[in-house]
């Protein structure tokens, strides 16, 4: 598949961290869906030509996403995203599927099933694996594995066993464990990347050569001052 055809539908895009990684791997985000307006501003600054739907995914149809990304059903290479993780995080109250944010996992499933990408990558916290003895994880895999009939053809996603990966093992100067779930409908077995054999990178090695920072701008001060409000509105 030519790189120009590796189009991505990005859900729960945040400031675009996952998109940057896929861009560096040869993919191109065709459309992003993100609720937080501050994150959307960041996306527009860094990816000026990216179509962004600034609404809750619960209010957005698959048809609208496809239209915004100039895509047909089945054309996207991937749907990617990290649905809100607070409901499953070990640092939170762990209400899981009893929390509206936890139920957003199945909005990811809906968009995958209705846009029919060739594959998907879902990222979330480690705590999703053991919430309610694995019930959420099992239900998620069950829903993603159900056959899909489109234009008389039956499609089914082959899902690799979920894996918890630690970013520090792949060159990031941070211990950050995240659950990764990968699936595809083209019959390709998937193997998760092996950890680097090199020593862990330190923060100084990563950013120690950056110049001294400027004084924070008025915009930075404004954003810092609204963090509490954003947590109350968006949960992070």
């Amino acid at each position: 598949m030519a790189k120009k055809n590796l189009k991505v539908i990005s859900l729960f895009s945040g400031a675009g961290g996952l998109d940057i990684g896929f861009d560096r791997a040869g993919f191109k985000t065709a459309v992003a869906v993100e609720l937080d307006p501050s994150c959307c501003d960041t996306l527009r600054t860094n990816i000026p030509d990216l179509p962004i739907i600034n609404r809750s995914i619960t209010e957005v149809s698959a048809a609208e996403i496809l239209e915004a990304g100039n895509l047909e059903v089945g054309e996207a290479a991937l749907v990617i995203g990290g649905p809100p993780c607070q409901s499953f995080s070990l640092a939170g109250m762990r209400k899981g599927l009893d929390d509206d944010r936890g139920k957003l996992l199945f909005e990811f499933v809906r968009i995958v099933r209705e846009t029919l990408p060739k594959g998907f990558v879902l990222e979330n916290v480690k705590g999703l694996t053991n919430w309610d003895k694995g019930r959420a994880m099992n239900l998620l895999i069950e829903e993603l594995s159900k056959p899909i009939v489109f234009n008389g053809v039956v499609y089914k996603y082959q899902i690799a066993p979920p894996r918890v990966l630690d970013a520090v093992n792949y060159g990031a100067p941070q211990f950050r464990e995240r659950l990764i779930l990968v699936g595809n409908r083209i019959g390709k077995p998937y193997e998760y990347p092996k950890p680097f054999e090199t020593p862990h990178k330190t923060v100084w090695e990563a950013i120690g050569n950056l110049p001294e920072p400027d004084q924070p701008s008025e915009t930075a001060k404004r954003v810092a001052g609204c963090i509490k409000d954003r947590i109350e509105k968006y949960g992070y």
Side-chain angles (χ1 to χ4, degrees), residues 120-187:
F120 63 82
V121 179
L122 183 147
E123 174 269 341
N124 215 276
V125 293
K126 178 180 178 180
L128 176 59
T129 62
N130 61 13
W131 183 82
D132 196 11
K133 300 180 180 179
R135 180 165 69 90
M137 188 79 257
N138 293 337
L139 184 57
L140 177 62
I141 292 175
E142 178 184 332
E143 291 298 312
L144 285 166
S145 301
K146 289 180 177 179
I148 303 162
V149 180
F150 179 71
N151 285 345
V153 179
V154 179
Y155 299 90
K156 192 173 189 301
Y157 285 94
Q158 176 180 329
I159 300 175
R163 182 78 61 83
V164 175
L165 305 180
D166 194 333
V168 76
N169 293 324
Y170 300 93
Q174 180 187 33
F175 291 99
R176 188 174 183 84
E177 292 184 316
R178 281 296 182 271
L179 167 75
I180 306 296
L181 185 66
V182 178
N184 73 80
R185 60 171 177 79
I186 56 177

Side-chain angles (χ1 to χ4, degrees), residues 1 22 30 59 66 70 96 105 118 124 134 177 203 205 215 235:
M1 186 186 299
F22 277 94
E59 303 172 356
L66 291 170
N70 193 27
L105 280 173
K118 294 172 179 64
N124 215 276
E177 292 184 316
V203 173
E205 289 172 331
Q215 290 297 313

